[in-house]
Amino acid sequence: MAERKLTGKHVFLGFAAAFAVIIGVNLVLAYSAIKTFPGLEVKNGYIASQTFNDRKAAQESLGWEISAHHHNGLLTLAIIGQDGKPVEAADLKATVGRATHVKDDVTPNFRYNGSAYVAPVELGDGNWNIRMIALADDGTEFRQRVVLIKD
């Protein structure tokens, strides 16, 4: 049997193939990241930052605690005031979606049942985010992203 020699050509082809795989995988991952995540939280970060501390202080002064859970197709979003009692906001808007993309986003029609907001929503297993905006009776806007992990 003839013995094969390792030449410079073989080494070059091995390195070229390895780098081609690495670059190809990086391009696929970069494309997927850009395609599935909008990356936009606010239109102009500088302008939003100018009032951030004031909005944060106003929101914290409400003393609201938020919790969420999902069971048997029903999503429950509870707002508890600093007195420990349920809060009915003047207005509530919320979007439920995955942390990594917007294609599964839904806007549930929440109804207040006397102790919490409930809405029928079918959610798959995994990590979900509820991006909510509630308006207090005094006009204070309360924004929060609530993490919901569904088994």
Side-chain angles (χ1 to χ4, degrees):
M1 195 182 323
E3 201 173 299
R4 296 185 71 176
K5 292 187 176 189
L6 182 63
T7 64
K9 180 179 175 183
H10 295 116
V11 173
F12 172 74
L13 290 174
F15 273 103
F19 278 105
V21 168
I22 292 168
I23 291 170
V25 168
N26 281 334
L27 290 173
V28 168
L29 291 175
Y31 174 77
S32 296
I34 291 169
K35 179 181 168 214
T36 60
F37 185 68
L40 182 66
E41 289 288 329
V42 294
K43 290 182 181 179
N44 187 322
Y46 176 75
I47 291 174
S49 72
Q50 299 305 299
T51 58
F52 175 80
N53 289 335
D54 295 334
R55 289 182 286 122
K56 180 181 177 200
Q59 181 170 313
E60 287 177 345
S61 72
L62 293 173
W64 290 359
E65 294 291 326
I66 311 299
S67 65
H69 69 275
H70 186 269
H71 184 68
N72 290 336
L74 192 65
L75 178 61
T76 303
L77 184 64
I79 304 172
I80 304 300
Q82 52 192 349
D83 60 359
K85 295 180 181 174
V87 172
E88 182 178 6
D91 187 38
L92 175 73
K93 294 180 180 120
T95 301
V96 180
R98 298 281 189 185
T100 54
H101 57 79
V102 295
K103 72 177 183 176
D104 292 333
D105 282 8
V106 293
T107 305
N109 186 16
F110 281 105
R111 302 231 183 264
Y112 188 70
N113 68 4
S115 62
Y117 287 90
V118 295
V121 179
E122 290 302 323
L123 300 176
D125 291 343
N127 185 4
W128 292 87
N129 285 334
I130 303 169
R131 296 178 302 276
M132 62 166 279
I133 302 172
L135 192 63
D137 288 335
D138 66 0
T140 302
E141 190 177 78
F142 185 92
R143 291 177 175 260
Q144 190 163 350
R145 180 174 53 196
V146 182
V147 177
L148 174 67
I149 298 176
K150 185 172 176 306
D151 297 328

